[in-house]
Amino acid sequence: MLFRSAANLKAAGAKVIICGDQEQVDNVLAVTADLPPYEHLVVFDMKGLHTAEYRDARITSFEDFRASGREAHVADGTRHAALLSRLSDTTAAIASYTSGTTGVPRGILLSHAAQIAAGRALATKIALKPTDRCFSLLPLGHATGRAFDVVAPLVAGASVNFPESTETIAHDMAEISPTVLFATPKVYERIRSIVEVRIARAVPFKRWVYGFAMSRLESSLAARRAGGSGGFSAFLGGVLAGKSILKKAGLSSLRYAGVGGASVSSNVTSWFWQLGIPLYEHYGQVETGGVLFAQRNLSDSGTLGAARSEEHTSE
C-alpha cells in the first residue's frame, strides 16, 4: 500500500508495514500510538536502527522477515495453498489511495478481477508483447503505475525494469533502452532539458546542426499533422541529430511513451513527436484502476482522445 499520510495508515489497519529506511521507520513510530495494532514493521535498510530507541519487537529486517516465512512454510507446507484458496475474483488485490487534491485521500479497494480487466485493456491498447521492456518510474502503489508496470506486463508476459536510484535514472534508461515507458510530465521535461543543456554547452557547429535538424523535424511534424508524410525532412533531421539524441537518451527503442498525472506542455509533447517518439497523453482515476482515457494518435494530440459517437440498433 502507498501511504501519503498518517490518516491513510490509520484507515488501512495494516498488520504489516514495510519501510525503506530509518527515516520511514521514524515516521511510523511517531504516529504508532494513533494506529490500529500492527504485527510487523519490516525494513529494507536497517542502518541506524540498532540503538535503544528502536528496540521494538515488531521492527525486523526484510531478510529476517523472509526467513521467518520460510520457517513457517517448512512447519506447515499447506498454509500457502490454503491462503490462496480463500481468494476469489472479487477479493481486494490492493488498496490504492487517491491524490486527495479535493479532500482527504480515500483508500480504494481494487479487486483481482478489476486489476486483470484493466491490465488486459491496457495491454491491448499499447499492443504489449513478451519482447517489450517496460521501465518503471511510478510508485507501484499508484494505480496507474501498477497498471503499466505490474498488471499489464503480467498479462502480456513483458519484462519490467527499474532504475537503481533516482540519481541513476538517465544512465539506467540509456543502458536498458526500454520499449514502453509511462511517466509524469516532469520526467519528459527533464529528458528534454538534459539534451538542451548538453547542446548549449557544445561547440557552435554542433549547436547549428541541432537547430537545423530540429527545424527539419518540426516541418516534418507539421506535414504529418496535415495528413502528409513529412518524409525527407524527417529523414534529414533524423540523420543529422534525431537518431543520436534518441540513442544517447536511451529512447532509440521506445515505441510507446505515455504521460499523465498532471498537465503537460504542448512544447514538450511536440519535441518528442518531432524526434519520432509517440508521446500519448493519458487520464485516469484510482477508482477505475488507473487509466480511463488516452490519446489515440498524432491527429488528436493535445487531447485525451477525440470523442466518438456510435450508432446502436436494437432488434
Side-chain angles (χ1 to χ4, degrees), residues 89-307:
D89 290 351
T90 58
T91 303
I94 186 173
S96 190
Y97 280 81
T98 61
S99 62
T101 53
T102 58
V104 178
R106 300 179 302 279
I108 307 300
L109 297 179
L110 299 172
S111 70
H112 288 279
Q115 290 280 272
I116 292 171
R120 285 175 175 166
L122 186 57
T124 300
K125 159 66 181 173
I126 65 180
L128 199 61
K129 305 180 295 294
T131 53
D132 276 316
R133 299 182 302 278
C134 304
F135 193 65
S136 178
L137 292 176
L138 289 179
L140 297 184
H142 189 287
T144 304
R146 185 175 176 83
F148 264 93
D149 300 333
V150 177
V151 189
L154 282 173
V155 168
S159 65
V160 182
N161 301 270
F162 299 88
E164 293 185 10
S165 69
T166 55
E167 291 77 18
T168 64
I169 288 176
H171 175 271
D172 296 338
M173 188 178 296
E175 182 179 351
I176 293 166
S177 190
T179 60
V180 176
L181 172 68
F182 185 89
T184 62
K186 286 185 177 181
V187 171
Y188 294 102
E189 290 166 3
R190 179 167 174 75
I191 291 172
R192 181 190 180 194
S193 175
I194 290 174
V195 170
E196 294 189 336
V197 166
R198 289 176 178 173
I199 293 298
R201 294 174 178 173
V203 298
F205 176 72
K206 287 187 176 181
R207 294 201 300 270
W208 179 86
V209 170
Y210 172 78
F212 178 76
M214 292 305 294
S215 70
R216 294 297 84 212
L217 292 173
E218 184 177 358
S219 297
S220 171
L221 182 61
R224 288 158 57 200
R225 289 187 193 277
S229 66
F232 183 71
S233 288
F235 170 77
L236 185 59
V239 169
L240 291 176
K243 291 183 178 179
S244 175
I245 291 172
L246 294 179
K247 183 176 181 180
K248 291 180 179 179
L251 305 176
S252 57
S253 300
L254 195 61
R255 65 168 187 81
Y256 192 96
V259 60
S263 60
V264 58
S265 167
S266 60
N267 291 333
V268 173
T269 56
S270 293
W271 188 82
F272 281 92
W273 278 97
Q274 288 172 30
L275 291 172
I277 298 296
L279 182 55
Y280 300 100
E281 297 186 53
H282 294 69
Y283 173 80
Q285 290 183 317
V286 173
E287 291 88 339
T288 62
V291 179
L292 264 178
F293 307 108
Q295 174 187 340
R296 292 192 180 97
N297 48 50
L298 179 60
S299 66
D300 60 1
S301 60
T303 75
L304 296 166

Side-chain angles (χ1 to χ4, degrees), residues 72-89:
H73 180 69
V74 171
D76 182 3
T78 65
R79 179 166 172 73
H80 184 244
L83 291 172
L84 288 178
S85 68
R86 291 162 53 184
L87 300 179
S88 69
D89 290 351

